[in-house]
Amino acid sequence: MATPFPIVNNKDTRHDFSCYLQSLKTADQCLGALLDELDSQGLAGDTVVMFTTDHGISFPNMKCTLKDSGTGVALFIRHPDIGRGSSDALVSHIDVFPTICDMLGLKKPDWLQGASLLPLMRGSAEKVHDYIFSEVTYHAAYEPMRSVRTDRLKLIRLFARDRRKPFVNIGDHQAKDWFLSSPLPGIEAERDYLYDLVADPAEEINVARLPQYEEEYRRLCAVLEEWMESTGDPLLHGDIELQPGQIANRPDAKTPHEPTYDRDGNPVTAKDLLEAFCRASGESHD
């Protein structure tokens, strides 16, 4: 069994990917057991089931990149009174809250973002968004980026002054070891990436500077900036610093197991933070 793109295919990475497939099998079995239990208890007709994940596969050029391989997640919703069809429409996790509100007949808060997915589930609409947005600020280390995606194009903008990839933000496994054995991952990235998702679904070719895409590039830049302004994105005003009680790895770290630091550059561990919190609250962390 070969590894899928963009993972290099060798014995070590095939082992990594086989472990990932085993985790999928386990998740599928657990979800199946839950659905079977709802059926056996006679609760399936009164229960909404929702299954999702928080990010794409944790391999190089996937998770923590804002490419589809990192932002594409599972989203399964089963409602006893609404069809179970699939949809290729653009949706986001921020759509879950308004969807639940509509399912329960609850008034949506004025501040709520996202759109209800019920029209997609009922088959009364083909889409609920023209654009969806994604972001990273801190993972293990600071790596600020924002993106806007349509059904045909994606713009990713990097905001760090040093645009070399923080390797610490790549999950630790043999696929990462092979990835970092090449000098290519250490080359500084461009500020903007525009991908033609129809002709280049693997997001390999940056067309941001090509004259054929100039109009679309400018339009998506404006859309992204308007979204950042409307959401009060602090990146518009410069770097986002750690706040009191927050810690992160340095961008030049290779693994999250290296020391973490607070906003003043002092080495701090998660255990240190927990102990400080327990002291302040008068509780034991044992």
Side-chain angles (χ1 to χ4, degrees), residues 216-261:
E216 294 286 8
Y217 169 67
R218 292 183 181 276
R219 179 176 67 86
L220 289 181
C221 285
V223 170
L224 182 62
E225 290 164 6
E226 181 181 358
W227 170 73
M228 292 178 67
E229 290 172 358
S230 67
T231 56
D233 196 323
L235 268 182
L236 293 172
H237 308 292
D239 287 338
I240 301 176
E241 297 183 354
L242 291 171
Q243 297 303 303
Q246 296 178 339
I247 57 175
N249 289 103
R250 295 193 189 281
D252 59 356
K254 293 294 191 300
T255 169
H257 299 294
E258 293 186 35
T260 52
Y261 297 84

Side-chain angles (χ1 to χ4, degrees), residues 13 63 91 105 216 224 235 264 270:
T13 58
K63 175 186 173 185
V91 302
E216 294 286 8
L224 182 62
L235 268 182
D264 297 319

Side-chain angles (χ1 to χ4, degrees), residues 37-218:
E37 185 64 20
L38 289 174
D39 288 337
S40 68
Q41 296 289 336
L43 298 173
D46 300 314
T47 306
V48 174
V49 178
M50 185 176 297
F51 173 85
T52 190
T53 54
D54 63 339
H55 54 69
I57 304 175
S58 180
F59 284 129
N61 280 323
M62 294 186 173
K63 175 186 173 185
C64 208
T65 63
L66 298 190
K67 293 185 176 182
D68 280 4
S69 54
T71 60
V73 300
L75 179 59
F76 166 85
I77 303 174
R78 192 182 78 173
H79 191 289
D81 300 321
I82 301 176
R84 303 179 185 178
S86 62
S87 173
D88 293 325
L90 296 173
V91 302
S92 173
H93 273 152
I94 63 171
D95 299 326
V96 170
F97 194 163
T99 301
I100 293 175
C101 288
D102 276 0
M103 285 179 175
L104 301 179
L106 300 176
K107 181 181 178 181
K108 300 183 187 72
D110 293 338
W111 46 261
L112 189 62
Q113 300 178 34
S116 173
L117 302 180
L118 288 193
L120 297 178
M121 297 171 64
R122 292 183 174 126
S124 60
E126 293 296 321
K127 66 177 183 177
V128 293
H129 294 294
D130 292 321
Y131 309 100
I132 55 172
F133 303 91
S134 302
E135 63 181 56
V136 172
T137 301
Y138 281 90
H139 188 48
Y142 187 54
E143 189 179 7
M145 64 182 89
R146 304 288 186 263
S147 76
V148 54
R149 190 197 196 282
T150 72
D151 58 348
R152 300 184 63 88
L153 296 165
K154 177 189 289 180
L155 173 69
I156 301 175
R157 175 165 292 174
L158 309 183
F159 288 85
R161 299 174 189 177
D162 182 350
R163 293 195 296 273
R164 288 173 294 181
K165 178 71 179 178
F167 300 146
V168 66
N169 287 345
I170 304 172
D172 286 346
H173 36 57
Q174 295 183 95
K176 174 180 179 176
D177 296 338
W178 278 98
F179 182 68
L180 298 186
S181 68
S182 166
L184 183 60
I187 296 176
E188 186 170 13
E190 299 180 53
R191 179 173 183 259
D192 285 350
Y193 286 84
L194 181 67
Y195 295 113
D196 184 329
L197 301 175
V198 175
D200 178 31
E203 298 173 82
E204 293 184 285
I205 304 171
N206 183 13
V207 299
R209 305 305 177 206
L210 297 183
Q212 299 94 323
Y213 291 88
E214 181 178 359
E215 181 178 349
E216 294 286 8
Y217 169 67
R218 292 183 181 276

